[in-house]
Amino acid sequence: MSATEQQEMPPARGLGASLKKRLRRELMRQTHLVERVVAGPLTPQVRTFSETVFMWENATLKRYVSREPRRYETPVLIIPPLMANPVIFDLRPGHSMVHHFLDAGFDTYMLDFGNPGEDQKDITVEDYVTDFIPNGVQKLLEVTGAESVSLVGWSMGGIMSMIYTALYGEESGVKNAIVLGSPFNFSTMLPFSSLAGLVITPLRAVIGQIGNVPGELTRAGFMAMAPLGTLTRYRALWTKYYDREFVAAWETMGEFINAFFDYPQEAFLQFLTDFIRDDKLRQEKLVMGEKTVKLSEVKANILLFVGTGDKVASPESVQALAELVSSRDMTVKYVPVGHIGLVEGSKAPSLVWTPMVDWLAERS
């Protein structure tokens, strides 16, 4: 055999290995496809066990149960957005923000606002920050015996967390606050802020007829903000159908996307006008509980996450919080993810969840 022929042999063997790899992937792709059609999701939709601590109206204060010992005195309370199903914080075994907190030794709670019924269409944002959240925090401190709490708020949950903290000051009991992708400068969120002024009148008439804003409309709005993302999501599923973990993650994310809660009619209209159109919160013109909300009165320790790929809340609108509060302990982290990627996704554990628990551990 010539030297030239000997040099050509390894690529031939490499080609065989590559072919075997492709065949194996195709076999796994077909296996997973059949399994999903016949038996259902590849990953059982199992949640972290929780117990109900307190219920009022349509809200529930839940405590997540863990075998891990509690290492920190300050409990964690998660505040979700109004329209988002709280399952986003606890999607599946082995990949859950809630479980991440529990494993780190934090006593972890969730304030689940629930899916509002037609009889709750008159609930406003003011009701959430002057009634629901204060009641939840007070009950949490009562049952734990803790002197303070760490709030974790994503999107509108972060906005309401900051409003509550500003309104009640030291009486809020908030020692630490983690804010994820929450906009505070709506003047930078073009064209949404401009469109709000144009559509508010016809929207008010339409919503007055249908009641609460259906979750399907919220879902459609999220998808419209990133239409290419929706298309590539299905393409990625077929491309990686051989990867069981990827398919499982795709399934659980789909469960969240397809299960948005309804938006209380008055809360939606108030958010559209007072926040998006008029930008009252940033300008200290927002009045709630007969008191002007001044973010400059917030002094709690804050960890702010800004998603540089966020198409829902622009990075400029989110990072504005750092300039509005009076917190001496203010940390801003920029992470290369989108709006949902701040709380769920392949990058969330390393880029968001771990930095969160490390930051809290030093302040709890």
Side-chain angles (χ1 to χ4, degrees):
M1 181 180 294
S2 68
T4 302
E5 290 175 327
Q6 290 177 349
Q7 292 175 357
E8 292 177 349
M9 289 300 293
R13 289 196 296 271
L15 180 61
S18 177
L19 179 60
K20 289 181 180 179
K21 182 178 181 180
R22 289 200 298 270
L23 289 174
R24 189 178 188 288
R25 284 187 172 185
E26 186 58 34
L27 176 62
M28 295 307 300
R29 190 197 317 273
Q30 298 301 327
T31 300
H32 294 157
L33 177 61
V34 172
E35 184 177 346
R36 289 187 74 216
V37 171
V38 176
L42 299 187
T43 302
Q45 306 305 300
V46 180
R47 309 294 178 214
T48 303
F49 183 74
S50 65
E51 56 186 15
T52 298
V53 176
F54 184 49
M55 293 183 68
W56 72 107
E57 297 290 339
N58 204 42
T60 305
L61 177 64
K62 301 176 180 178
R63 178 180 183 269
Y64 291 97
V65 179
S66 173
R67 296 179 179 178
E68 297 294 328
R70 189 186 72 174
R71 297 174 55 194
Y72 304 100
E73 294 182 0
T74 307
V76 170
L77 176 60
I78 299 173
I79 308 291
L82 296 182
M83 72 292 189
N85 192 322
V87 300
I88 188 67
F89 298 98
D90 185 34
L91 273 180
R92 69 185 191 278
H95 196 88
S96 159
M97 179 191 290
V98 165
H99 213 273
H100 211 78
F101 278 124
L102 295 176
D103 283 349
F106 289 97
D107 197 7
T108 307
Y109 295 74
M110 166 78 73
L111 181 52
D112 185 347
F113 298 118
N115 198 354
E118 186 61 27
D119 59 334
Q120 295 177 307
K121 64 181 181 180
D122 294 328
I123 294 179
T124 64
V125 177
E126 181 174 348
D127 292 323
Y128 286 104
V129 298
T130 63
D131 182 7
F132 287 85
I133 295 179
N135 273 324
V137 172
Q138 180 180 0
K139 191 64 179 181
L140 183 153
L141 296 179
E142 178 184 319
V143 299
T144 61
E147 296 181 353
S148 58
V149 63
S150 295
L151 298 185
V152 178
W154 170 53
S155 195
M156 191 177 179
I159 295 175
M160 294 191 296
S161 296
M162 288 293 94
I163 294 176
Y164 163 72
T165 306
L167 283 175
Y168 294 92
E170 293 184 0
E171 295 181 0
S172 69
V174 179
K175 180 179 182 181
N176 309 303
I178 297 177
V179 181
L180 302 144
S182 304
F184 290 90
N185 184 351
F186 287 91
S187 69
T188 66
M189 293 183 62
L190 298 172
F192 303 114
S193 54
S194 299
L195 288 174
L198 297 175
V199 304
I200 184 61
T201 300
L203 263 181
R204 189 179 295 276
V206 172
I207 293 174
Q209 295 297 318
I210 66 174
N212 294 329
V213 179
E216 290 78 6
L217 288 182
T218 303
R219 173 179 177 271
F222 264 87
M223 295 176 68
M225 290 179 185
L228 293 179
T230 302
L231 295 176
T232 56
R233 175 174 149 77
Y234 284 93
R235 179 183 177 184
L237 173 64
W238 179 246
T239 302
K240 295 190 175 183
Y241 230 126
Y242 62 86
D243 186 337
R244 191 179 187 87
E245 173 61 21
F246 181 89
V247 177
W250 194 96
E251 289 174 339
T252 50
M253 180 57 70
E255 180 189 10
F256 163 74
I257 293 175
N258 293 322
F260 275 95
F261 285 173
D262 292 347
Y263 210 128
Q265 173 183 299
E266 290 304 316
F268 174 79
L269 292 172
Q270 183 180 23
F271 189 68
L272 190 65
T273 55
D274 290 352
F275 291 80
I276 299 179
R277 185 191 68 181
D278 299 336
D279 201 18
K280 288 183 177 180
L281 178 59
R282 179 178 64 89
Q283 302 177 67
E284 297 192 343
K285 296 180 180 179
L286 184 67
V287 177
M288 292 190 170
E290 300 182 352
K291 182 179 178 182
T292 301
V293 181
K294 296 182 179 181
L295 291 177
S296 58
E297 295 183 357
V298 173
K299 299 179 181 179
N301 306 323
I302 296 178
L303 173 59
L304 175 65
F305 282 92
V306 181
T308 57
D310 198 330
K311 304 300 183 183
V312 177
S314 67
E316 295 80 10
S317 69
V318 176
Q319 66 189 19
L321 178 65
E323 303 298 326
L324 296 173
V325 298
S326 299
S327 304
R328 293 184 178 180
D329 187 344
M330 178 81 207
T331 303
V332 182
K333 285 188 176 294
Y334 295 86
V335 288
V337 297
H339 199 63
I340 294 179
L342 287 165
V343 289
E344 165 58 30
S346 59
K347 297 179 180 179
S350 61
L351 297 183
V352 183
W353 302 351
T354 296
M356 278 199 305
V357 297
D358 291 344
W359 183 86
L360 275 181
E362 298 175 358
R363 296 162 176 81
S364 299

